[in-house]
Amino acid sequence: VNRGEVLQPVEARQWEVGATYAVTPGLDLIVAHFDIVKPVAGLRADGVYGLVGDVRHVGDEVSLSGRVGERTSILLGAVALRPELSTGGGVEVPAGISRLNLTANIDHRFSGLWSADAQLIYEGPRRLRAGSATEVDGVAFLTGGVTRRLRFRQGDGALRFQIINGLGDTGYYATPSNVLVPVWNRTFRVSFSRGF
């Protein structure tokens, strides 16, 4: 009914407490607990898109990041989340929010000219719709690439070879707006960039 109407700004409340521990001089372990509450928009029964309640994300996160050698850096992380959607009808699990997210990144320089990187992300199952027990399966997504730096008289450049969705996982992402988005197909890319 109110397509294109700009919603009023909202306020969110967030607090987080955490700690950092230096495992080695270049490698840090971070643990944290957080609590976020904010109004959430959605399509109401009367056809108006507006604020429908409050969403609360309470969770814990842990990450290990930094250098594990002179040429290799990593980032390993996990977030466990307990989402709640409060509406006039009570409290339920909101749509499109994973309760578990994992990530692993590695970047390695073979020389001054060659480097490789990879990122593996897992997003856990998500509710298709708020108030429904139907869940969309979790998705693992692998992206990797090799980069060759190029040197020119004027500016540096790079030639990059990349694979997206290297595991070939298929399926859909459930989103908070109740829309299913297909997982990106396995794709190969070659790109060239140059600075001037």
Side-chain angles (χ1 to χ4, degrees):
V1 174
N2 61 332
R3 182 186 301 268
E5 181 180 304
V6 177
L7 298 180
Q8 293 296 317
V10 298
E11 291 184 2
R13 175 185 62 80
Q14 174 178 345
W15 66 265
E16 182 171 355
V17 60
T20 302
Y21 174 71
V23 179
T24 67
L27 191 64
D28 292 330
L29 175 68
I30 300 172
V31 294
H33 176 77
F34 59 87
D35 189 337
I36 305 167
V37 179
K38 60 184 177 180
V40 64
L43 190 62
R44 300 190 323 224
D46 60 0
V48 173
Y49 187 82
L51 299 179
V52 295
D54 292 320
V55 66
R56 182 180 185 192
H57 296 164
V58 179
D60 302 290
E61 57 187 338
V62 60
S63 67
L64 181 67
S65 64
R67 296 200 172 275
V68 291
E70 185 178 331
R71 297 182 175 184
T72 305
S73 60
I74 63 165
L75 168 62
L76 306 174
V79 176
L81 190 64
R82 296 175 297 284
E84 294 179 348
L85 175 62
S86 300
T87 62
V91 178
E92 54 196 36
V93 177
I97 299 175
S98 298
R99 292 178 298 283
L100 177 65
N101 292 290
L102 306 172
T103 184
N105 294 274
I106 185 167
D107 193 330
H108 181 75
R109 288 182 295 111
F110 294 101
S111 66
L113 299 178
W114 288 94
S115 65
D117 59 88
Q119 178 183 48
L120 178 62
I121 296 175
Y122 172 74
E123 296 185 358
R126 300 176 176 190
R127 289 289 172 96
L128 179 59
R129 290 186 177 78
S132 169
T134 304
E135 288 194 338
V136 176
D137 291 338
V139 177
F141 203 76
L142 175 66
T143 301
V146 175
T147 303
R148 168 68 157 89
R149 290 181 50 128
L150 304 171
R151 293 186 178 141
F152 301 99
R153 289 182 182 177
Q154 296 179 347
D156 291 343
L159 183 63
R160 180 162 172 77
F161 305 89
Q162 187 177 34
I163 182 172
I164 298 169
N165 192 8
L167 300 176
D169 210 348
T170 59
Y172 293 87
Y173 292 108
T175 66
S177 58
N178 298 329
V179 175
L180 287 176
V181 177
V183 174
W184 192 283
N185 293 328
R186 180 182 290 146
T187 306
F188 298 91
R189 288 184 182 170
V190 178
S191 62
F192 170 77
S193 62
R194 180 180 174 184
F196 294 95

